[in-house]
Amino acid sequence: MKHSKNPIPGFLHNFEQYGDTYRAYLGGIQPMLVTKDPDIVRHVLQKNHRNYIKTPMIFEKLRRFLGNGLLTSEGPYWLQQRRLIQPGFHKQRLQALVEIMNQVIAETEPKGLVQAGESQAVDVYPMMMRLAFDLVTRSLFSTAVSAEKLELLSHSLTTIQAFLVQQIRQPYLNPWFKISGQLSKHIKLGKAADEILLKMIRNRRSSGASQEDLLQMLLDARYEDTGEGMTDQQLLEETNILITAGHETSANALSWIFYLLAKHPAKQALLRTELQEVLGTTQPTFAHLPRLRYTTQVIEEAMRLYPPAWVTDRQSAKADEIKGHQIPEGTMVVLAIYALHHDPKFWDKPEAFQPERFAPETRKQRISNYSYLPFGGGPRLCIGNSFAMMEMQLVLVHYLRKYRIELATEKSPELLPLVTLRPKNGVSIFFEEIA
Ligand code: HEM
């Protein structure tokens, strides 16, 4: 299997040939068990999760750049941090962010989508990357972050992420990265981003002013045993992780949602009818969101077809056995989320875009049986899932109420599965203003 190219067709082919679970070797040496069996997925993520750590080969690299935050930490430290931070991401607590999000979406809506009555073809991918980045950073820091700082942060973090992908996908280049100075260049870039974040954290702490944002929640959180809060270094690591984990994923989901809605005008019309009925022309509030049922189904179905986290993996700490498969210590278990989401055993006409599948009667069962896991599962389930659902709903409200969208090209976007699943050459869309 070539991992520097799109590996999805290879996975699908292997599943067809060898069944729902097969063995392989990454780079010819690292033993892997690749699976799209929901029972095995549940075993690894939930039932016996203590035995399955985040694959060190990958996570050591991430830790080097992003620090030891929720996504990258393990064991007792991870649990302590998760317990501390989890309440801040509770649905009710996120209420305060609706106003910030509405503001960011309105402010960052690009000009020129329609010029002199003519709609312009726009690639929504970079647009959504920027929007999702602004949404998470402004939710963290409110207005304390200037446009200039945002630009610098965005540049540093996206450059570092691209470099990390290269390091993981093409490990044979690592010695070259060291010699050529690429590694130290990226470490420097990371330090510059850290400086910006640290300054904002210290300013907030010393100002004593309280804001209704995620940074405030992180600052106010207290460990149960000591009653102390996090240090500046811990806050830096957690904010770094939240920005990184929380923008490319949402941007990809949004780009694919725009693509699917543009491709399916009848579904787009249904969604718009719902927006009209629930909201009319009023500004969306937290109370409106649960009533946007069809909009939620559209988001869920889009993440089934194009899961931003298309694969995840763990490594066994000790030997284990799952459904007759022997798992020696140190085996990498690859959970093929994309393949699971397209498996005809669980999904009728799996390639069709049918938001109706996620009607409330069937939705619960799909999630509880581990055949649908865009946000992962078990104790390490995405902490930002409600945040992400909320921001995606709000983006759809603001854009779809104002514009009818249409594909600018007949060609479907190719899959580009890096850390997250991207549309390879973006998604070109016409925006037509609704009178
Ligand atoms: C559509 C958007 C998103 C998707 C599809 C997504 C998906 C995921 C998945 C699949 C995991 C689990 C990975 C694993 O177990 O290996 C995860 C973890 C995580 N996500 Fe998200 N995510 C999204 C948005 C966000 C947002 C907006 C934030 C923060 C604001 C966020 C923060 C995190 C963090 C911190 C973790 C690690 C949690 C832990 O290990 O305790 N994510 N995400």
Side-chain angles (χ1 to χ4, degrees), residues 336-398:
I337 296 175
Y338 180 94
L340 190 53
H341 284 189
H342 289 251
D343 190 331
K345 282 203 288 304
F346 307 108
W347 311 96
D348 179 37
K349 299 205 189 95
E351 299 312 314
F353 175 57
Q354 295 176 347
E356 294 70 21
R357 301 178 204 268
F358 287 92
E361 312 81 62
T362 45
R363 185 184 172 276
K364 259 209 174 105
Q365 186 209 346
R366 295 196 181 284
I367 290 170
S368 65
N369 73 7
Y370 273 68
S371 59
Y372 179 68
L373 49 160
F375 292 114
R380 299 204 70 150
L381 180 84
C382 176
I383 203 169
N385 63 352
S386 300
F387 178 104
M389 290 306 292
M390 190 165 110
E391 67 176 329
M392 290 190 282
Q393 284 180 318
L394 291 172
V395 171
L396 292 182
V397 168
H398 284 268

Side-chain angles (χ1 to χ4, degrees), residues 45 54 70-71 78 82 89 136 241-242 245-246 249-250 253 303 308-309 312 314 373-376 379-384 387-388 391-392:
L45 291 183
K54 299 242 170 159
L70 270 185
L71 186 75
W78 165 78
R82 179 90 191 199
F89 278 90
V136 73
I241 291 284
L242 291 174
T249 38
S250 304
M303 290 198 296
T312 188
R314 296 289 192 270
L373 49 160
F375 292 114
R380 299 204 70 150
L381 180 84
C382 176
I383 203 169
F387 178 104
E391 67 176 329
M392 290 190 282

